[in-house]
Structures are given as structure tokens and as C-alpha cells.
């Protein structure tokens, strides 16, 4: 059985030593001192370790059951959910006017990582509710907010997001679900939605579905899509639950992983829906929540990597097999623990250096979200918009890869269900697909985000990297191991961007053929920057006499590994990118 | 439901246009003309497509059942197995003296690829029997061969390989299974073996277990291991089945994939065993079959990639989503097929260029095995020994990666069981682990194979690459797109080898820390060489007026993609390798 330890010490390090959150001029950040964040993280960690993690295997093995239109979540999920909402976790970052705790996104990110590591399928029920609450908060009328938010924030009700239909996933312009205006101002929603996470279950009293649909007679394509609130039970004016709406779960998907989350086919049969936001502005309403949603999926990716790494490490320190070639390490035992072997370490260091770099990157992205929302800082908001496809695409690709590496550490045991590693691989796999496939993330990055503010935002990013390097170049200890590799990697990224500008003008496919590599190249530069920042912080701490020298020396060694062994990938990505569209597009579709 | 088409045309191309098998001076190859190989491949393809492939999902969903000590394979497996052995496929390459067809390994490889693509879990029953037959043929006495081989070749009996125990996988020196000499010359085998593929099932009348065990009082470690034949039913002198031996299946593993193959815990309780080969020479006996066994696992890796790619391609040509940015391709439809999008093509080309290169590499390796065995060509045998860890490690790592890429092509559909892609991912995953994990392959490559014949064998490989480049450098069409990138990649490989020689002397960990990257670097050079050879063959065919221009132009385009987009990885591998042991080994084990 796999285990999980909450990485609260590492989180505190990133929050305070690296990001200095309580010193930041962002509304709400002044209360985030070490004691405060520690109390929150420890509590969340307890919930994750004691309540959620033991249900992870249960959820995987039992899955969800649909019987007579009712979906039952796995055993224990309902009690765990009650404990979670009882602790106020479902409204952690929500508006206090509606009962939320009003904390910044950074605390949602930090606690969310632990909940995801412990039980990703479970945490998804909260994730979808969060998306629905955010949409209602951002676009709902005062009445809608009053009517739905308090019960969603308290966790009495949950929520969903209904976008996909059988004929349309990425291309939402193809949506067929209809919303016909009714005399009472509501709409009759008719159509089928698929892959609706948490679409139906027994954790909450009501489920508030947010549904994209087309009002007949509206514009073609994405310009004719509106967003609707479609509750499972209609909410009466006094707040009590009224009629059961005409919507139902038509089936559960059988999936590779996340078995504990109910992935539903949802059938809307003239269901009563309420327009949220403006007519035909449904896509815009969706987009406002997209940054948070995509960051949270990036988080899921490395969170699965984290828990997989923890279990791989425990195995490597315990399993005896072979001898250290440079000298026996455990003479009293039949063999040495496999962590002595260089190739096992190479594998573990790949995992560790990614996960810790990813955490810093995600936390940084989360502070940028807060800076954008809470401080109305347009530059921060644009910067995080640029980074979001990287946070989602790179962290989930590498997060999945990390689970595969961790599984490999266990050899044959990694392939058996008993050790639990294979579940992490299967669960992590979805993060590369949902909330926009990683291919779509790369198109967003190259096709939209690079051109943000006429290219100024990406230049801001380069300036930020350059500024950090320049600011610290007198630090000789930092320079050789961290700043120089970061500079080289950043140059590769700039060269790739310049290639896109020059060649993408001639043929857009020159840019689009390299979008995926660009996303990864960008991700490596971001993790390189994070490791350089962590190295700086740890060097400063050691210099200031921090007595936890092992912790900081370990950070430095892990960072050096990333710079030496992972960052060289940028050269390969650049070479692929600059080979252009020709090799990619040469074949006629029929000749594949 | 996934589908499968037998790639016989591509196989014929590699056998004849590229490898010119019938023109090779290898005993048994003279009969391998186009007509003959075509007949075999078409028949094998039919069996794969019509009989085995439809059972692939059945096997995954039903798995094997253990009831009262009896293991039942999934529905339909027994009938399919009877059809397979009825066609003579179980003895395809076995000695005609015992009823085999006596064909070269290359035909086993080509047909085996199709059987594995169609149903890997099923084909494993044959794979294990093949290993056991080979061991008996190579090391058994005349009586043992006569007693076991005819019934195994006919498929009436199957076989297994019993190495792993709970406390030992890679490190077989830790084996505890005992073999106590009996008065009648047999041995009483006692111990527990785990992860025994096809250990117990209902496909055959008898199961011939080959078991590694220690005779009490023998040398410590691997020098005290002997190999035993331990039949499920003792074979009487007249060839009939006698007593049930005291061995049993104690349980089935619950695994991530290959559910259709019974992975057993095998308990030997004083079971009657017969020494095969010499006392304490069990490891040597195992090693003689290792090359074939490891090649066949490399084959499984890319075979799963092949079938996954076929299904990804079909989806990409069918699924309508979005529009080609350079101009609408399907104006009569609601959207264009997703194959128009550059990032979808990038993904498909990664899959296609790997699988086709891998097939050429595996087939080439197989001809080297034949040259070694059938012609007693020591140089060929050494060369293939050098290449075996690359064939196993690289082809399974990249084969698995290919299944993940293919799954990604399908977006959300790829995550559902309905489309079948996720099964390919789960099944392919084991190939990176069994028959020696890929980490162990990389140690074999760097720790043993590089030093083969004092380094002469690896120099032979470099000479072979150089020779090919030199021989063809006047071919300007080949030079720029194929020979130049191959030369650069090969130089990276040589530089890495030189680094190991120089720095590995000072500290073996400098070599061992780079072993995994070296294995991949080597793999890319091999696939680069294969693509250069295929390009040469296709250019020659076009020049000679071959009318199938589309086929050859497609080969050239696919090869150019590999050279431009995959081969640059060698630079990253070299950079990782030359960063040495320091970043990998810096952390104390306790500080991870």
C-alpha cells in the first residue's frame, strides 16, 4: 500500500524563503506569515494524510456505480467529504460575503497540492465545484450569487462544468445543446454532454451544473454560445430545494484512471436553465476561470509526481539488491539498498528535481494570479496568462513522466496493483488531456499568448530572467552552476521565439509545428529560473547562519542536478523547432 | 473498439528492399524469397487480425481466474491457442528433428511482431514456451530433448521461466529456492517463485517449468545456481503423463496490464526436478537464451506502438475538429479532420517514424542473431550482443512512449476503455520492466558490452556506421538529409564512449551515471542508421523505376522527419552523460 507525507516543510520554504509572500504588497498577503501558513498547511496535511489518502486505493478499486439513475461514490467518500467541508476547505479562497474564508489563491494552491497527491479523484469533486463557484461569482447576478454561492461554499452543494459533447471537444463552436427561451425568463436546455466530472454523485444535496448551450437563431460557432446554470434540484425563492430538474446521468465512462470520480454522460431534456452573464458571451465567461482551472490541473500533474516519488524513494531505500560498485554499503545485509546504484539515483533525482521545481513554479504562478486579481496588476495578470499553458502542459507532461519513472524504480513491483504506483500513472494520465489537451495548450501559447500585448508580455518574461541573472551575477557560487545554464536555456527560448516570428510570418505552420517543443522549452526555462531562485535563497540562508544546513545543501544539490541534467533539453527542443514545418507537413494526409 | 492491420507490406520492404535477406549468405536464408516470406507473413497476419486481435480486449477485461488451484485463461484463448498451434506457429523456428519448422529467427521476429501487436498477453504464452524450449534444446541431454521438445514444439505442452523470488529480482545471487539431490538422480525443488508468466493455465496439457535453484553446499551467490526442468505432470518413459508434481500456483498478481496472461506465484514443495546442463552453471544456461528473449521484448515494445499508432491515425483522419489555419480542407463538413493540424501531425510523425525505424532495427538484429547461430559468425554474434540491451531498452521505452502519444491523439477518448488505446499503454508498460529492467539493460550495455572483446565490438559498430556513410557520400540526395545527421549523432555516441573510457577509469560512477542516456543515445544512432539505409533503398527503388512511388516517397519523408526531429536528442544525452557522476551522486542517501 502506498503512503503519503505532506511536504509542508518544502512548501513553507517556497512560500517564505523563496517567494517571501508575507512581504509582498498584495492585498491579503500581509497575514500570510510563517505561523499562519504553517497552521493551515499542517491542518490540510493532516486531512490529506489521514482522511483522503487511505481512500485513494478504495476509490480506484471500487469506482463509482450508477444504479437507477443514482451514482454512488466509493465507500468512505461521503464521510471524507463531510469532514473536508466541515473544516471550511471548500470555501478557502471564496468571498467572505457568501461565507468563504477569503484567502488568496496561493493557499488554495498549496493545500490543493496535498489533497490532489492524497486522492486526486476525490479532490476533483472540489475542483469542479470551485470552477462553477468562480463562474457564478464572476458573472452571476446578485440574486444568483445569493441563491447559489453560500451552499456551494459550505459544500452542501457541488458544481460541474458542461462543455464537451460527442462531436465537440476542443472545437466548441460545434456545440449542439440547445437553450430555448421560456416565458418565465428561464431557458429549456436540451442536449447531451459527455465526460462531465462529478456530474452525478451522492456527496451533496444538490449539483449546480454550468452548461454551455446555443440559443436558437444566434450566431454560428463560438460566438453563439451562452452559459447557463442548470441545477439538479431547482432552488426555491426561500432557498429550499424544489423540483427535480429534467436532467440525468445517462452513463458512466469506463476510464484508465480516476475511478473514484464519476465521469458522466449528462442528458438534458428540456431542463430548466438560467442564463448567467450575457447572451452569446458564454465562451468569455468560461475564459475568465480558465487560468485558475488550468493552473490547478498543472498542480495535479506534479502532485501525482510527488506522491509517486515519495513511494519510489521509500522503496529504493528499503529494497536490497546488488552491491555498490565503489564499495559495499551494507555489509551486514545480503545486499545494499538499491539507492546506492547510480542509475537508480539518476531516476530518483529526475523525479525529485522536477517535483520541487514544479512546486516552486506553480506557487509562483499562483502568486501572480493573486497579484492580478487582488491588486488589479495588469502586468502580473498578463504574465500569468502567458505562463498558464506552460504550467498546465509542461507540469502535467512531466508529472506523468515522473509517475512512470517512479513506477520504474520499483521494477516488477511497480507493475502490480499492490504497491499502488501504477494507479498514480493511470490517474496522472488524464491531466495531459482534460482542461484542454496539452497540444491545445501549446497552440494557446504560440498562437495567442506570444502575441499578447504585441509581444510585450513575453519580452517582460525575458527581461525578468535577464534581470535576475544580472542582479546576481556577482554571486560566483550561483553563477556557474545556475545562472550560466539558465542564460543558455533562456537564449534557446528566445531563438525559438525569433524563429517563430521570422518563419511563422511566411507560413504559420512553421510556428505551429514547433508549438509543443516550445511549450517544453519554456517549461525548462521556468524550472531553471525557479531552481536559480531557490539556490539563491538557500545560499542566503546558509550564509545567514540557518542551522538546517542539510535542508539547504540538499536543495542546492537537487538544483544543480536539474541544471546539469534536465536543462540541456532546451537545445534539442530548439533544434526540433528550427527544423520547421517541412518535415512535419511533408506527407499528404492520405499517405500516412 | 480498436482495430489492427497486419503491416506485411512494410515487413516485406524491410526484409527484401532493405535487408536483402534472400541474397544473404546465411544457412536457411536462401529460401526466404519474396513469395515465400509473403506467404508466411500473410498467414500470420490473418491469424493475428482475425483470431488474436478480437480477443485482446476480452483478455484485458476478463483477466485470468484462479479457482481451486486451477487457472483459467480468458474466454476464447484456448480455442485461439489451438488454432495457433494447429498452424505450426509454435514451432516455427524450432529444430526439425523434433518437429519444428526450422525457420530462421527473422521469421519468428516478423510473425511475432504481428502476434504481439494483436494480443500481447496471448502471445506471451508462446514467448515463455519458446524460452523454455530453447533452453532445453541448448542444454538438455538427448533424453531430455526427446522427452520434452516434440510436445512443446507442437504446442501440446507449454513452458515457463522461473527466476524471480520475493527477495530477488535483478540480483539472482540471492536465490533461496533449494534443490536437494535424490537417490534416483532427480532433485527435490522447494521454494517460492513470483511473477511467473504463464505459470499455470488451461491452454495446454502440461507445463514444463524451468527453475533456477541452489543445490545445498554449493558456492555462494550466482556461482551456486543450477537450472532444473520441473514439469507440472511428470513425463513417463513412454511419453505419457504421469503423476502431478508437487508444485502449485499460490496466487495471481493483480497488474496494470497484460491481464490475459496469468502471472503466477509458484510454490514448489519438494517438487521433482531434473538438472539441465551442468551443476552450478544455471546462470550460463540462462544467458544463452537471453539475447533472443530480450530481442522479443524489444519487439513487444514497438509492436504495441504500432497498433496504437494505427488506431491514432484512424482517429486523426476521422475526427472533425477545428480548421486548417492555412485553408479549409473539408468545406462540406462542419470541421476539418484533425490530421490537418501541425501538432497532431507532429505527434503522428513521432509515432510513425519511431515504429518503422524500430521494425527495421529489430529485423536487422534478428538477422544478426541468425548470422551468429546459423553461420557461427562470431563477429555478428558479438555485434548483436552489443545491440541487445539497446534493442530491449530503447525499443520498449520508446514503444511505451509511442502508445502514450497515440493515446494523446484521441484526446478524452484515449482515456476511455472503449477506444482501447489505454490498454496498449498499460500492456506496453511491462516491457520496460521484465526480462531485465531497462536500467539493468543500460548497465549491461555500459558495464559489460562496451568492453566486449576489449572494446573491439563497439569499434566494429562505429566502423559499420562510418563505412555506410563513406560508401554513400557521393549520393547527394542522401547526404544532407540522412548521412550528415547520422554522422553528427554517431560522433555524439563516440564522444560519450570516450568520456566513459577516460572518466570511468577515475570513478566507475562517471560511466554508470550516464548509462541510461547512453542506451538512448545508442538507440537513436541505430534508428538513424536504419532510416539512412531505408532512404537509400527507397531512393534506389525509385531510380530503378519502382511504380509504387507513394510508398517510397512516404518512407523518405518519414525518415527525414526522424533525422530532423528525433536525432537531435543525441546532443542532450551527450550533455547529460558528460556532466558526470557529481550531480547524480552528490546527495547522501539519507538526504533525499
Amino acid at each position: 500500500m502506498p503512503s503519503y507525507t505532506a511536504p509542508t516543510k518544502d512548501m513553507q520554504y517556497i512560500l517564505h524563503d523563496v517567494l517571501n509572500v508575507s512581504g509582498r504588497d498584495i492585498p491579503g498577503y500581509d497575514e500570510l506569515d510563517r505561523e499562519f501558513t504553517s497552521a493551515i498547511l499542517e491542518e490540510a496535511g493532516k486531512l490529506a494524510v489521514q482522511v483522503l489518502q487511505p481512500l485513494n486505493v478504495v476509490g480506484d478499486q471500487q469506482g463509482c456505480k450508477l444504479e437507477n439513475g443514482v451514482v454512488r461514490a466509493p465507500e468512505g467518500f461521503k464521510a471524507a467529504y463531510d469532514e473536508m467541508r466541515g473544516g471550511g476547505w471548500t470555501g478557502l479562497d471564496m468571498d467572505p460575503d457568501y461565507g468563504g474564508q477569503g484567502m488568496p489563491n496561493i493557499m488554495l494552491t498549496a493545500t490543493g497540492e496535498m489533497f490532489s497527491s492524497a486522492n486526486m479523484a476525490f479532490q476533483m469533486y472540489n475542483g469542479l465545484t470551485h470552477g462553477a463557484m468562480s463562474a457564478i461569482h464572476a458573472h452571476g447576478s446578485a440574486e444568483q450569487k445569493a441563491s447559489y454561492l453560500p451552499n456551494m461554499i459550505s459544500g452542501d452543494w457541488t458544481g460541474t462544468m458542461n462543455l464537451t459533447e460527442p462531436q465537440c471537444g476542443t472545437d466548441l463552436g460545434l456545440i449542439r445543446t440547445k437553450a430555448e427561451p421560456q416565458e418565465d425568463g428561464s431557458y429549456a436546455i436540451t442536449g447531451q454532454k459527455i465526460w462531465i466530472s462529478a456530474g452525478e454523485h451522492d456527496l451533496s444535496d444538490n449539483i449546480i451544473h454550468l452548461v454551455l448551450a446555443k440559443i436558437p437563431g444566434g450566431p454560428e460557432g463560438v460566438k453563439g454560445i451562452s452559459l447557463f446554470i442548470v441545477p439538479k434540484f431547482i432552488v426555491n425563492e426561500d432557498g429550499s430545494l424544489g423540483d427535480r430538474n429534467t436532467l440525468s446521468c445517462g452513463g458512466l465512462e469506463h476510464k484508465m484512471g480516476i475511478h473514484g470520480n464519476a465521469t458522466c454522460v449528462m442528458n438534458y431534456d428540456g431542463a430548466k436553465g438560467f442564463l448567467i452573464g450575457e447572451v452569446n458571451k458564454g465562451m468569455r465567461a468560461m475564459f475568465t476561470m480558465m487560468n485558475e482551472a488550468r493552473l490547478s490541473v498543472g498542480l495535479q500533474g506534479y502532485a501525482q509526481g510527488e506522491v509517486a516519488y515519495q513511494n519510489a524513494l521509500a522503496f529504493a531505500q528499503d529494497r536490497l539488491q546488488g552491491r555498490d560498485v565503489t564499495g559495499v554499503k551494507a555489509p551486514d545485509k545480503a545486499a545494499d539498498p538499491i539507492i546506492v546504484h547510480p542509475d537508480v539515483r539518476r531516476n530518483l533525482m529526475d523525479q525529485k528535481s522536477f517535483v520541487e521545481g514544479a512546486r516552486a513554479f506553480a506557487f509562483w504562478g499562483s502568486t501572480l494570479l493573486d497579484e492580478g486579481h487582488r491588486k488589479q496588476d495588469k502586468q502580473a495578470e498578463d504574465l500569468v496568462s502567458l505562463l498558464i499553458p506552460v504550467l498546465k502542459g509542461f507540469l502535467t507532461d512531466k508529472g506523468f513522466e515522473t509517475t512512470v519513472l517512479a513506477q520504474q524504480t520499483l521494477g516488477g513491483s511497480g507493475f502490480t496493483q499492490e504497491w499502488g504506483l501504477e494507479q498514480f500513472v493511470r490517474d496522472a494520465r488524464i491531466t495531459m488531456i482534460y482542461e484542454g489537451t496539452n497540444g491545445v495548450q501549446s497552440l494557446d501559447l504560440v498562437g495567442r499568448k506570444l502575441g499578447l500585448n504585441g509581444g510585450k508580455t513575453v519580452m517582460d518574461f525575458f527581461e525578468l530572467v535577464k534581470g535576475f541573472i544580472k542582479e546576481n551575477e556577482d554571486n560566483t557560487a550561483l553563477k556557474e552552476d545556475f545562472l550560466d545554464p539558465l542564460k543558455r536555456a533562456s537564449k534557446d527560448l528566445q531563438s525559438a521565439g525569433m524563429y517563430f516570428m521570422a518563419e511563422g510570418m511566411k507560413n504559420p505552420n512553421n510556428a505551429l509545428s514547433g508549438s509543443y517543443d516550445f511549450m517544453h522549452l519554456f517549461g525548462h526555462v521556468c524550472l531553471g529560473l525557479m531552481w536559480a531562485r531557490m539556490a539563491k535563497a538557500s545560499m542566503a540562508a546558509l550564509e545567514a547562519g540557518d542551522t538546517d544546513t542539510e535542508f539547504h545543501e540538499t536543495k542546492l544539490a537537487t538544483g544543480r542536478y536539474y541544471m546539469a541534467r534536465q536543462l540541456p533539453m532546451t537545445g534539442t527542443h530548439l533544434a526540433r523547432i528550427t527544423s520547421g514545418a517541412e518535415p512535419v507537413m511533408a506527407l499528404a494526409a492520405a499517405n500516412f
Side-chain angles (χ1 to χ4, degrees), chain A:
Chain A
M1 284 277 287
S3 69
Y4 175 61
T5 305
T8 50
K9 185 177 180 182
D10 207 62
M11 290 184 169
Q12 285 283 81
Y13 167 75
I14 294 173
L15 289 177
H16 301 289
D17 293 344
V18 183
L19 297 175
N20 182 26
V21 287
S22 61
R24 298 286 297 281
D25 174 26
I26 302 173
Y29 270 47
D30 51 332
E31 67 171 354
L32 302 183
D33 60 29
R34 278 183 195 268
E35 284 69 23
F36 181 82
T37 60
S38 171
I40 306 256
L41 295 177
E42 292 302 329
E43 277 308 306
K46 257 188 231 164
L47 182 65
V49 169
Q50 294 170 7
V51 180
L52 305 187
Q53 198 270 337
L55 294 174
N56 195 41
V57 170
V58 177
D60 185 58
Q61 291 183 354
Q62 291 189 358
C64 298
K65 304 267 186 301
L66 171 65
E67 285 164 356
N68 306 320
V70 176
V71 173
R72 297 195 193 291
E75 252 177 83
F77 270 43
K78 169 74 177 147
Y81 181 71
D82 286 343
E83 201 162 334
M84 175 163 260
R85 68 199 195 86
W89 300 105
T90 49
L92 191 74
D93 67 327
M94 300 309 294
D95 192 339
D97 288 351
Y98 301 97
Q101 313 262 339
M103 281 192 211
N105 186 275
I106 183 66
M107 296 314 294
L108 185 77
T109 297
T111 55
E113 182 202 303
M114 294 187 277
F115 299 150
S116 281
S117 284
N119 195 327
M120 178 169 145
F122 178 93
Q123 173 64 0
M124 285 174 64
Y125 291 99
N126 295 315
L128 274 301
T129 305
H130 193 274
M133 288 192 292
S134 299
I136 294 171
H137 192 265
H139 302 283
S141 64
E143 291 74 20
Q144 288 173 332
K145 292 191 215 183
S147 180
Y148 298 104
L149 288 180
N151 283 316
M152 294 175 83
I153 286 171
S154 70
D156 288 297
W157 302 350
T158 56
T160 72
M161 309 294 282
N162 289 240
L163 287 76
T164 306
E165 298 180 9
Q167 78 291 348
C168 72
T170 297
D171 186 354
L172 291 170
L174 302 175
I175 277 179
R176 288 186 197 142
T177 297
K178 267 186 319 190
E180 290 180 293
Q182 305 297 299
E183 288 191 358
D184 65 355
S186 72
Y187 290 78
I189 311 290
T190 302
Q192 188 177 68
K193 295 285 181 178
I194 62 170
W195 300 335
I196 307 309
S197 300
E200 175 59 36
H201 55 81
D202 56 0
L203 301 185
S204 62
D205 300 335
N206 199 5
I207 301 176
I208 311 304
H209 301 286
L210 292 202
V211 181
L212 287 183
K214 288 189 168 183
I215 299 169
E220 290 282 297
V222 290
K223 290 178 180 159
I225 296 175
S226 305
L227 183 63
F228 300 88
I229 297 175
V230 191
K232 176 176 168 184
F233 291 99
I234 305 293
V235 180
N236 295 325
E237 288 206 6
D238 66 357
S240 63
L241 294 187
D243 293 344
R244 178 70 161 81
N245 210 342
T246 51
L247 59 90
S248 61
C249 170
L252 293 176
E253 291 291 343
H254 298 98
K255 299 160 298 185
M256 183 184 196
I258 51 167
H259 295 160
N261 197 277
T263 308
C264 302
V265 174
M266 294 301 298
N267 295 319
Y268 294 88
D269 186 16
K272 197 181 262 297
F274 308 96
L275 181 72
I276 171 167
E278 293 174 54
V279 167
N280 296 336
K281 295 287 163 63
M283 289 300 285
R284 195 179 296 175
M286 277 286 153
F287 268 105
T288 57
M289 297 162 300
M290 209 168 266
N291 280 352
E292 280 181 41
R294 290 183 170 177
L295 172 63
S296 78
V297 175
L299 194 76
Q300 291 176 335
Y302 83 77
Q304 289 303 294
E306 163 73 26
V307 65
Y309 164 68
Q310 287 188 14
N311 285 280
L313 175 61
F315 184 92
Q317 282 175 327
D318 186 58
R319 173 78 170 170
L320 306 176
Q321 210 77 176
R323 290 293 186 188
D324 186 335
V325 289
T326 63
V328 170
K329 285 289 181 296
D332 53 326
K333 292 181 176 162
D336 288 337
I338 61 170
I339 198 170
V340 304
H341 303 305
D343 188 61
V344 172
R345 277 179 183 249
R346 184 265 320 155
N347 184 345
L348 290 170
M349 289 300 290
D350 274 342
Q351 298 169 46
K352 180 177 172 68
S353 66
F354 164 70
V355 168
E356 294 179 13
R359 177 177 295 124
F361 184 29
F363 280 26
W364 177 46
S366 181
T367 64
L368 288 172
L369 275 180
D370 281 329
E371 213 166 356
H373 294 177
R374 295 183 160 243
K375 210 179 152 184
Q376 305 291 316
D377 183 323
K378 176 78 166 51
Q379 200 178 4
E381 194 179 320
D382 288 343
L383 182 56
V384 76
S385 291
L386 170 71
L387 297 177
I388 282 295
V390 184
L391 282 157
K392 197 278 181 180
F394 183 71
L395 296 190
T396 58
D397 275 358
K398 298 289 284 187
F400 170 74
E401 193 183 301
T402 300
T403 62
V404 174
L405 289 172
Q407 184 185 25
Q408 192 72 14
T409 311
L410 277 77
S413 299
F415 196 67
T416 63
Q417 287 174 12
E418 188 187 350
W419 288 82
L421 272 288
E422 61 94 33
Q423 185 190 345
F424 302 137
V425 174
R426 289 185 289 103
D427 287 354
R429 184 66 185 85
I430 189 60
T431 65
M432 297 155 70
I433 297 172
Y434 64 18
E435 203 53 46
T437 66
N438 288 356
V440 168
Q441 302 301 322
S442 78
L443 295 190
D444 178 47
L445 176 63
V446 170
R448 296 179 61 246
K449 300 300 175 60
L450 281 189
L452 206 63
N453 299 313
K456 193 184 159 305
T457 302
V458 70
M459 291 310 298
D460 284 350
F461 174 81
F462 286 127
E463 285 308 316
L464 189 151
V465 176
K466 265 190 223 163
F468 179 83
I469 293 171
K470 200 168 171 126
E471 209 171 279
N472 295 286
E473 64 191 354
D474 295 341
N475 184 340
T476 50
L478 201 62
K479 191 170 181 304
E480 191 183 340
D481 291 346
F482 292 92
L483 302 182
D484 290 349
L486 176 60
K487 192 187 264 183
R488 281 193 296 274
S490 178
K491 271 193 184 156
D492 285 344
L493 185 63
Q494 281 180 275
S495 301
M498 265 147 48
Y499 176 84
F500 286 160
M501 278 208 286
E503 301 300 321
M505 294 289 218
K506 298 178 198 159
N507 176 357
N509 286 346
N510 279 326
L512 297 175
S513 297
S515 63
Y516 212 91
D517 281 287
F518 189 78
M519 179 174 77
H520 274 252
L521 207 176
F522 211 137
H524 279 295
V525 171
C526 289
L527 257 63
L529 175 64
M530 291 300 111
W531 274 116
R533 289 180 66 171
M534 287 192 272
K536 181 185 171 178
S538 279
M539 285 175 184
L542 288 171
E543 211 160 300
D546 191 320
T547 54
D548 200 352
T549 52
E550 266 184 12
F551 178 85
H552 292 293
E553 294 290 2
T554 297
K555 280 282 170 225
L556 289 169
T558 309
R560 283 191 197 102
Y561 182 91
Y562 193 88
M563 306 311 272
R565 292 254 170 177
Q566 287 294 329
L567 224 49
M569 264 310 289
T570 61
T572 293
H573 288 305
L574 179 61
R576 285 183 185 158
I577 288 165
T578 54
S579 75
E582 174 58 23
V584 178
M585 305 303 290
L587 276 186
N591 288 345
F592 267 76

